[in-house]
Amino acid sequence: MTISLTVNDEDVSVTAPPDTPLLWVLRDELKLTGTKYGCGIAQCGACTVRLDGSAVRSCQVAIGDAEGASVVTIEAANDAEAQAVKQAWRELDVVQCGFCQSGQIMQAADLLAQHPRPSDDVIDTVMGGNACRCATYARIRAAIHRAADILEG
Amino acid sequence: MPTSLSRRSFLKSATATGAVFAIGIDPTGALAKAANAGGNITPFVKLDQDGTVTVIIKHFEGGQGTATGLSALIAEELNMSLQDITFETAPADNARYANLFFGSQGTGGSSSIANSFMQYRTAAAATREMLIASAAGAWGVDPTELTLRDRVISGAGRSEGIGAFVEAAAGREVPSDPRLKDPSEWTVIGVDQKARLDTPAKINGSAQYSMDIQLDNQMVVAIKRTPRLGGVVTSFDDTAARDIPGFIMAIQMPNNKGVMAYAETTWAAFQARDALEVTWGFSNAETRSSDELKADLFDMIRAEPEFQASEVDLATATTALDGAARIIEQEFYFPPLAHAPMEPLGATVEPTADGGVVLHDGAQSPAAGLAVMSQILELPEDKVQVNTLYAGGFFGRRSTPDADYLVELALAFVVTDRTRPVKLQWSREDDVTGGYYRPAYAHRIRAGLDAAGNIIGWDHRIAGQPIFKGTILEGFMVQNGVDNSSIEGARHNPYIFPAHHVGLTDQKGPTTPNWWRSVGHSHTAHAMECMMDLCARAADIDPVEFRLRHLSGDGADQSRMAGVIRLAAEKAGWGEALPEGHFHGFAAHKSFNTYVAEVCEVSADSAGTIKIEKVTAAVDCGIAVTPDVIRAQIEGGIGYGIGHAMRAELTLTEGTVDQSNFHDFETLRVYDLSNIETHIVPSTELPTGVGEPGTPPAAPALANAIVAAGQPLATELPMTHNGIAFL
Ligand code: FES
Ligand code: FES
């Protein structure tokens, strides 16, 4: 089956069984390897991308359901929120191994789009699904607050 | 960019650009150079004619900040900013990049900075002197008139970039004893800045991990593994797998440990693997369940120990305890744990035109990869190149004594016609159920106090599965039957107890034991530090004061331990009033020659549900080369210790692991802990590691805080088994 969608502002059509997770289409077909596999069952958030603007777990999106969708991955995440998040991540040196961080950044950008001034409680709720085995959480939380400052200008 | 620099490609790039100049050590360990494709050396720093300074990172970057730490050493002696450094990973070369502490190239034991501290600075200091001497020669001035700063040489009224002198420097003798900068002159080492060199690539998706290798025509392999530990394949049927689009073939592993499903993509490989019907032989498989194994461990710690692991024997400790005013006794249990690095294991073998291979791997031990590929593929070592990539965490897991996933990869490749690259990809389920764990341990401590509340006798028994015994590393770690990894932290601990006995009994366990962040300290610290609190409470002495009392004397070990204890207590406001419903707990531990004390602050609601509010840590790791990387490692170490202690465990039912992924092998989350403050003790001692030492005190500090909150002591991990509930 051939599915047409937009990935990072480019029109692509992929031929894959419709139940193939978007995650593996991105990584193995489109070679966009910034989006990571960590669990495959919606438990870690490493595979988070923006789909039609919302953060989703790409391991849970069947490519057959993504016909016509617009997907943004870490490689092209450049809207105001993503830029602020990346800047804050840089300023605070959030990363350790970095493997979870594409997902953290995509989720955090979506969080800030919806909550420009998130409380710790909101951060806990929204970011709770993004696991970091290196336990960079203290910096993630601080960097989200910093990104909110950057966005406010 | 951490592109791999194989020895060959280094030489190639040297030829291509004319004057590339590298300094490192020669096979005898002496400082040496290589210029214009010549020289048999281990380069640590490389200069290009355009003035680029490249640090060759001999330890892989798995998140622990090594690339930044090693680069800081070079930047310091070259008087340049850390941000202007480029880094590359070292080629696999056992003789050249031997970790001084292991004798083969690898990363572990929190040793990267410790063993490189002199090597890298000396190489850069020699580089500096050679560049300055070259400029002095060109300008006809005395070298003492010139300085090197920010890759520019200036003095005597002139200044020019170092690129102009690379060729001349390459022709000079290497100074045998270059002058290292005095610590008072340091402008990079010890500077508190946020300048991780791997951050940019890790926030834009460009960092390359093992999983990210995408070669033309590659096959992806997923392995169907035995559901019960120790089972073997007797036969399999791939009829259903053949219906999976992209499926290529299924082959029984030569060692019968599983069936390999080959496919065009990862998803197809996972699906095909799941579709395989395998008949297993369980005649030699594990049949025991966790409850049995745990009961067995408790029997062991209640009986006479198999090995005496301390200078003091059991009789001496028993006599001392007989004379004690009171005895405090406690047993502890620690479950098996998976490392579960965020990146599930995997690596790729790529055949080359000359009949060799390139191994693409986030290689904790490039030397192991080299050896495995060369032996199984029957290739001379010079036909095996290792491309060391970023690792998505490791915590010890990317290296095992049997090089497990590398052997699997080599077997997956060797059974093919060797024309297509083969990528092995583990799923999270492979990782959690795979059987390579921090094994389970039980402890029993009996401590005797005199009337004044001093410890006068200590009988500590430990039982568990040894990690090193029976492996190729046995010679280093096992003495008189005692596997040091089972008792480290319980025996050589800075506390001074008279009649301190440690006894050990080995369990023949069901799993493959493996070093897990902080290894033996991951359990010994919990038992020791919970016990110290129990004793302090029994003696009615403040827990911090109680610890300090057992660290008297002038020993460096005692004074450094006391130093971090005082600093953590002071910074956390130990003993001062806390908000209503908030409580402090304390723990301290020395591991890998680094001293860490931690104060955990928790709050408890009316139902006793616990929330971790903050952890305040103090660390003494000698000279703090990159302070913010140290803080990050302590933060991560604390999270790793606390995260597992709260909720994580692995259990077995008749030899089958019950958990399989993060839904039931639970991991720390942002809402569990996101306020950590780390203070570093100023020091002039040689630097020691920080990757692991944050972990050991974390869980006992939390456990002691929970007791202060009126809840039970966590004697059986995870803490949820003690009736402790977390918000
Ligand atoms: S890989 Fe999708 S949530 Fe973990
Ligand atoms: S940075 Fe390693 S898993 Fe998050």
Side-chain angles (χ1 to χ4, degrees), chain A residues 23 36-48 57-60:
Chain A
L23 168 67
K36 305 303 189 198
Y37 160 76
C39 71
I41 59 164
Q43 291 292 313
C44 79
C47 63
T48 305
R57 307 291 184 237
S58 65
C59 70
Q60 299 301 304

Side-chain angles (χ1 to χ4, degrees), chain B residues 318 320-329 445-449 457 531 538:
Chain B
T318 306
L321 288 167
D322 285 346
R326 57 189 304 177
I327 302 270
I328 321 296
E329 180 169 345
I445 302 178
R446 293 178 74 229
L449 300 180
M531 199 64 193

Side-chain angles (χ1 to χ4, degrees), chain A:
Chain A
M1 173 172 176
T2 300
I3 299 109
S4 301
L5 67 165
T6 308
V7 177
N8 296 339
D9 275 338
E10 282 181 35
D11 293 335
V12 298
S13 55
V14 290
T15 305
D19 62 347
T20 307
L22 171 63
L23 168 67
W24 296 111
V25 172
L26 292 171
R27 291 183 53 82
D28 286 357
E29 306 289 339
L30 304 176
K31 316 292 184 208
L32 289 168
T33 55
T35 303
K36 305 303 189 198
Y37 160 76
C39 71
I41 59 164
Q43 291 292 313
C44 79
C47 63
T48 305
V49 299
R50 306 279 290 276
L51 187 141
D52 294 333
S54 301
V56 297
R57 307 291 184 237
S58 65
C59 70
Q60 299 301 304
V61 176
I63 191 66
D65 294 336
E67 174 74 41
S70 170
V71 174
V72 176
T73 70
I74 185 71
E75 287 90 346
N78 283 319
D79 61 12
E81 286 81 17
Q83 283 188 26
V85 168
K86 287 180 178 182
Q87 182 186 332
W89 250 242
R90 165 81 269 202
E91 285 179 15
L92 274 69
D93 265 354
V94 171
V95 310
Q96 290 189 27
C97 84
F99 201 78
C100 73
Q101 299 292 350
S102 301
Q104 304 279 4
I105 289 168
M106 299 307 288
Q107 188 69 52
D110 186 55
L111 163 67
L112 287 166
Q114 293 174 47
H115 307 272
R117 268 281 158 214
S119 63
D120 281 348
D121 280 351
V122 167
I123 294 175
D124 282 353
T125 305
V126 177
M127 301 303 292
N130 287 77
C132 174
R133 293 291 291 166
C134 300
T136 62
Y137 300 119
R139 291 182 192 226
I140 286 173
R141 174 177 287 183
I144 290 173
H145 288 306
R146 172 69 189 128
D149 288 344
I150 294 168
L151 283 167
E152 226 169 63

Side-chain angles (χ1 to χ4, degrees), chain B residues 575-620:
Chain B
E576 292 166 22
L578 285 168
E580 178 73 26
H582 285 226
F583 306 90
H584 268 162
F586 201 93
H589 194 75
K590 173 197 179 188
S591 61
F592 308 95
N593 296 316
T594 291
Y595 304 77
V596 181
E598 293 167 11
V599 177
C600 184
E601 180 181 339
V602 301
S603 60
D605 66 13
S606 54
T609 306
I610 299 290
K611 175 165 174 48
I612 303 169
E613 299 288 343
K614 183 177 183 182
V615 177
T616 305
V619 54
D620 178 349

Side-chain angles (χ1 to χ4, degrees), chain B residues 430-708:
Chain B
D430 289 325
D431 173 56
V432 172
T433 63
Y436 284 75
Y437 304 139
R438 192 286 303 272
Y441 292 91
H443 289 235
R444 171 174 179 249
I445 302 178
R446 293 178 74 229
L449 300 180
D450 66 13
N454 298 307
I455 293 168
I456 54 161
W458 186 276
D459 176 16
H460 192 161
R461 318 238 182 124
I462 300 173
Q465 204 179 346
I467 295 174
F468 289 89
K469 203 177 263 190
T471 74
I472 52 168
L473 296 165
E474 172 155 358
F476 294 105
M477 294 298 282
V478 181
Q479 273 172 345
N480 303 326
V482 177
D483 190 318
N484 187 53
S485 70
S486 298
I487 52 107
E488 58 185 356
R491 179 174 61 172
H492 295 122
N493 187 295
Y495 294 129
I496 295 172
F497 307 147
H500 181 178
H501 165 260
V502 180
L504 173 67
T505 303
D506 286 346
Q507 183 181 46
K508 183 152 173 20
T511 59
T512 310
N514 196 29
W515 37 72
W516 183 96
R517 197 171 192 170
S518 81
V519 200
H521 303 281
S522 69
H523 51 99
T524 59
H526 191 91
M528 294 290 295
E529 287 299 285
C530 288
M531 199 64 193
M532 288 302 275
D533 256 44
L534 282 175
C535 290
R537 267 192 300 281
D540 200 21
I541 299 172
D542 173 80
V544 169
E545 168 61 22
F546 185 79
R547 285 174 172 81
L548 292 172
R549 280 192 194 186
H550 292 90
L551 291 165
S552 56
D554 317 322
D557 221 20
Q558 285 71 39
S559 65
R560 292 180 75 179
M561 182 82 155
V564 292
I565 289 176
R566 288 199 182 91
L567 184 61
E570 177 206 320
K571 296 293 184 185
W574 181 263
E576 292 166 22
L578 285 168
E580 178 73 26
H582 285 226
F583 306 90
H584 268 162
F586 201 93
H589 194 75
K590 173 197 179 188
S591 61
F592 308 95
N593 296 316
T594 291
Y595 304 77
V596 181
E598 293 167 11
V599 177
C600 184
E601 180 181 339
V602 301
S603 60
D605 66 13
S606 54
T609 306
I610 299 290
K611 175 165 174 48
I612 303 169
E613 299 288 343
K614 183 177 183 182
V615 177
T616 305
V619 54
D620 178 349
C621 56
I623 294 164
V625 175
T626 44
D628 195 63
V629 170
I630 292 168
R631 274 198 293 271
Q633 282 304 294
I634 298 296
E635 290 162 19
I638 290 169
Y640 205 71
I642 282 183
H644 292 92
M646 287 170 78
R647 305 185 185 97
E649 67 176 325
L650 294 171
T651 54
L652 295 179
T653 302
E654 293 176 3
T656 297
V657 179
D658 298 320
Q659 294 74 18
S660 62
N661 203 319
F662 288 134
H663 65 291
D664 50 11
F665 184 67
E666 292 185 55
T667 182
L668 190 80
R669 301 278 173 174
V670 66
Y671 46 75
D672 292 320
L673 170 62
S674 52
N675 188 0
I676 302 175
E677 195 179 286
T678 302
H679 300 272
I680 302 172
V681 176
S683 173
T684 53
E685 301 287 330
L686 284 173
T688 51
V690 293
E692 298 169 88
T695 298
L702 171 60
N704 290 335
I706 291 170
V707 173

